[in-house]
Amino acid sequence: MSFRPTGNVFRSHALDKISCWRCSRQMMLIVTAPTPTSIIIPTGVPRQVPRAPVRPFSQVAPLRQVLQSTPARLKAGYFISNELSIRASGSVTGQHDAKPGPEDLLPHRRRRQRRQEKQQQDVTRDTAPGAPASGTPWSREGSREGSREASAEAYMERPATAASATTTTARRTTAAAAAAAAATEDILPANASSVLTTESTRHPISSLRRQLSLFLSLSKPRLTVLVVLTAMAPYALYPVPDFISPSIGLDTPSLSPLTLAFLTTGTALCSASANTLNMLYEPAWDAMMSRTRNRPLVRGLISQRRALAFAVFAALAGVGGLYFGVNPTVAFLGAANIALYAGVYTPLKRVSWLNTWAGAVVGGIPPLMGWAAAAGEYATGDGSFRELLLAPEAVGGWLFAALLFAWQFPHFMALSWSIRDEYKTAGHQMLCWVNPARNARVALRYSLAFLPICIGLCATGVTEWSFAVTSLPVNVWLVYQAVKFYQHQGFKGSARGLFWASVWLLPAIMVLALAQKKGMWGRIWRSVVGEPTTDDDDDDEEYDEGEEYDGDAAIDARAIDTRLEAVVSRCEPS
């Protein structure tokens, strides 16, 4: 008798259509017995039942007889419960085996299959764009009704076979993941670090372009560019007395292009160092998130030792360039920015949702660096931290820092909401999933702070009063999107609207402030037309007053001389 393998189990053709162990034993005996003998069944009916031949104990049975006489000890239920294939009726060798349907599964397996289908439908419904938040009462009631309908549909429309059920579940899982990824990509732009990492893999391992792409990916180029721009804007907006007034003791302009070059380069290197240390700290958690799993350290395209060497080199070069090219106060702020981002904000993400406030402080430091760099060019003292950032003239720098501090919240709250499930899976304590209601309130609260900050820049003499009017539409649009985000808790496209409103608000505010710097257009007009400036008029008035003072002094001196001559003549002897 021949055997045919089916899956991982060897069974004979004689076991086809057998569901009882006792019947299978009798069938095997009938097939294999060579000499039938007559025995009396207890019912009294004589039947021809085969018996195995008797052999001496010392005689070794041949292998063929052993294989033929071995009874089948596996019931048909074993094959069904383990989802093994059973041959259909009328099948022949070479045809595929039929697989059990849902009616062939054991009851507990049917119940488990229905529960899995219902859970998968719930996940698909929750991850779909526009689904209601699970925290509100109406959403909970809706979810109950949806669960009932889903369970009914899952029971009525269960797949025809176990294999089709598995295929359907996998298809639904893939569809849910694709829907979540599509919703995330609809809100967030492409990650520059991931794009550069993918681009680096197209070049040879030892090529220079590959290494530059990897180092640039470690520095998070978009974030670094944003940090540099927020440092350059306050530097250009510092209110110097003249448009290109010379600095004290030097012939170069007070806002020196060389100082600006050191400021931008040093700030970029400090930002690159902080971002690289951030990636070094959390590669295991980056692998759990779709936006960070393509980073070079996660994929192993660059070693941790080389990444650490790059971070240390960037930190030393950046802080050194700021110290020698700008001033010690700006260098201190750059080093503090690295320490706060890599040493406070990054570890705090695993501990508390207050990490967002620590990250906002980090975002507010670059404007202070730009303001202190410009103030150091115009300083009359030792250029200490107190003179550059604690003097009454430094209010404008702190207002720019407050502007960037407040901007972090509507921007990040909307960004994090779209990937809140990934943050939760990775274990990052973000307000978007810890407390979604507070997440929306915080975004709205700090969106309202832009209105008084812009008015404060006008009141302190940094910009013209027209800046308060021209920046009003941009700020109102941000507040409008924040209100929608608060009302819909991020659903119905409100998170996407707030995110892009915050993205466009910051450059719009900076450009409007630069275009309406205090006194800039008046000085440009006078330099083009040739009208005398107010400072020239003041010098002329001082010169005229000085001439009058010198004339009076000459008259008084002649009067004193006359009197002295009279006194001397009287005292002389006659």
Side-chain angles (χ1 to χ4, degrees):
M1 180 178 61
S2 62
F3 287 83
R4 191 182 76 163
T6 301
N8 293 327
V9 178
F10 287 83
R11 68 183 166 87
S12 74
H13 291 284
L15 293 180
D16 289 346
K17 309 177 186 178
I18 298 301
S19 60
C20 176
W21 175 80
R22 201 173 278 107
C23 297
S24 65
R25 179 178 178 83
Q26 292 180 1
M27 181 64 68
M28 289 292 297
L29 291 175
I30 292 173
V31 172
T32 59
T35 56
T37 59
S38 176
I39 62 173
I40 303 299
I41 306 299
T43 57
V45 181
R47 293 181 57 184
Q48 296 294 326
V49 179
R51 278 188 177 179
V54 180
R55 63 177 178 82
F57 180 78
S58 60
Q59 183 180 357
V60 179
L63 180 61
R64 179 181 297 276
Q65 182 179 356
V66 171
L67 294 176
Q68 291 178 350
S69 62
T70 302
R73 299 184 179 275
L74 296 178
K75 300 181 180 180
Y78 172 84
F79 299 95
I80 298 175
S81 61
N82 289 276
E83 299 181 357
L84 300 176
S85 60
I86 298 178
R87 186 172 303 147
S89 59
S91 63
V92 295
T93 304
Q95 294 182 352
H96 294 288
D97 292 340
K99 296 185 178 179
E103 65 278 357
D104 297 328
L105 296 178
L106 296 179
H108 73 281
R109 292 188 178 275
R110 288 197 297 268
R111 291 193 297 270
R112 182 187 303 173
Q113 178 181 337
R114 289 196 296 268
R115 284 197 302 268
Q116 292 176 353
E117 292 175 358
K118 184 175 72 65
Q119 293 174 358
Q120 188 59 41
Q121 289 180 357
D122 294 341
V123 170
T124 305
R125 184 178 60 254
D126 293 340
T127 55
S134 59
T136 56
W138 57 269
S139 63
R140 288 196 297 268
E141 184 176 357
S143 63
R144 296 192 193 101
E145 296 176 358
S147 300
R148 297 191 192 100
E149 296 175 0
S151 60
E153 293 176 0
Y155 182 79
M156 296 298 296
E157 300 178 6
R158 58 186 184 273
T161 62
S164 61
T166 306
T167 305
T168 304
T169 303
R171 188 183 299 111
R172 288 175 179 174
T173 304
T174 306
T184 301
E185 292 176 357
D186 190 25
I187 294 177
L188 303 179
N191 194 323
S193 296
S194 298
V195 173
L196 286 170
T197 302
T198 304
E199 182 66 24
S200 66
T201 58
R202 301 177 182 177
H203 305 288
I205 297 178
S206 59
S207 65
L208 180 61
R209 294 186 61 181
R210 181 188 180 99
Q211 301 302 320
L212 291 178
S213 297
L214 291 176
F215 288 136
L216 193 60
S217 177
L218 290 174
S219 63
K220 298 181 183 178
R222 285 182 180 171
L223 180 58
T224 299
V225 170
L226 178 63
V227 170
V228 172
L229 291 178
T230 56
M232 292 174 62
Y235 179 84
L237 286 168
Y238 183 81
V240 294
D242 292 331
F243 189 61
I244 50 171
S245 66
S247 60
I248 298 175
L250 298 175
D251 295 332
T252 57
S254 59
L255 297 184
S256 169
L258 184 61
T259 304
L260 181 62
F262 274 105
L263 174 66
T264 54
T265 305
T267 304
L269 289 173
C270 289
S271 177
S273 174
N275 293 326
T276 303
L277 292 174
N278 171 267
M279 292 188 186
L280 280 168
Y281 184 82
E282 47 188 17
W285 303 302
D286 286 344
M288 302 179 185
M289 303 179 64
S290 60
R291 284 184 56 80
T292 57
R293 66 180 54 157
N294 197 35
R295 288 178 174 176
L297 286 172
V298 177
R299 295 184 58 180
L301 299 177
I302 188 172
S303 64
Q304 293 187 354
R305 180 179 300 179
R306 181 173 296 183
L308 180 61
F310 172 72
V312 173
F313 170 78
L316 294 177
V319 175
L322 294 175
Y323 183 87
F324 295 104
V326 187
N327 57 61
T329 300
V330 179
F332 169 77
L333 291 175
N337 210 2
I338 298 174
L340 286 175
Y341 189 80
V344 178
Y345 167 71
T346 301
L348 198 59
K349 291 165 65 176
R350 311 289 305 175
V351 179
S352 172
W353 49 265
L354 293 174
N355 63 82
T356 307
W357 277 259
V361 172
V362 175
I365 291 180
L368 288 178
M369 296 172 64
W371 189 273
E377 289 292 311
Y378 191 68
T380 58
D382 56 353
S384 62
F385 187 90
R386 181 184 299 274
E387 181 184 5
L388 300 182
L389 294 177
L390 298 182
E393 295 81 8
V395 177
W398 289 101
L399 285 174
F400 277 112
L403 184 74
L404 267 296
F405 179 85
W407 178 82
Q408 307 289 329
F409 293 96
H411 178 75
F412 183 75
M413 297 308 180
L415 182 150
S416 61
W417 185 91
S418 61
I419 52 176
R420 61 195 183 280
D421 295 332
E422 296 186 2
Y423 274 125
K424 185 176 181 179
T425 303
H428 293 313
Q429 301 298 315
M430 296 298 175
L431 205 58
C432 56
W433 69 267
V434 173
N435 193 338
R438 178 176 291 180
N439 183 74
R441 289 198 304 269
V442 169
L444 176 59
R445 184 183 306 132
Y446 284 96
S447 298
L448 295 171
F450 282 86
L451 298 172
I453 292 176
C454 291
I455 296 176
L457 290 173
C458 302
T460 54
V462 178
T463 61
E464 301 285 354
W465 279 102
S466 59
F467 172 71
V469 179
T470 55
S471 63
L472 184 62
V474 184
N475 294 329
V476 169
W477 178 252
L478 179 70
V479 173
Y480 171 71
Q481 295 294 337
V483 170
K484 290 181 60 179
F485 183 75
Y486 172 75
Q487 290 176 343
H488 302 297
Q489 298 293 312
F491 294 98
K492 297 184 179 180
S494 57
R496 179 174 60 253
L498 180 59
F499 173 79
W500 287 108
S502 64
V503 167
W504 289 107
L505 175 129
L506 192 61
I509 290 293
M510 294 298 178
V511 170
L512 289 173
L514 288 170
Q516 300 171 80
K517 181 180 178 181
K518 182 70 174 180
M520 183 183 69
W521 291 105
R523 286 190 290 268
I524 293 177
W525 174 259
R526 286 191 294 268
S527 63
V528 172
V529 177
E531 295 181 358
T533 61
T534 306
D535 296 336
D536 295 338
D537 296 339
D538 295 339
D539 293 340
D540 294 339
E541 292 178 359
E542 292 177 0
Y543 179 77
D544 295 339
E545 292 176 357
E547 287 183 345
E548 294 175 0
Y549 176 76
D550 292 341
D552 295 339
I555 295 173
D556 293 339
R558 288 194 294 270
I560 292 172
D561 292 339
T562 305
R563 292 177 183 177
L564 287 175
E565 290 176 357
V567 171
V568 170
S569 61
R570 291 176 185 176
C571 294
E572 290 179 354
S574 54

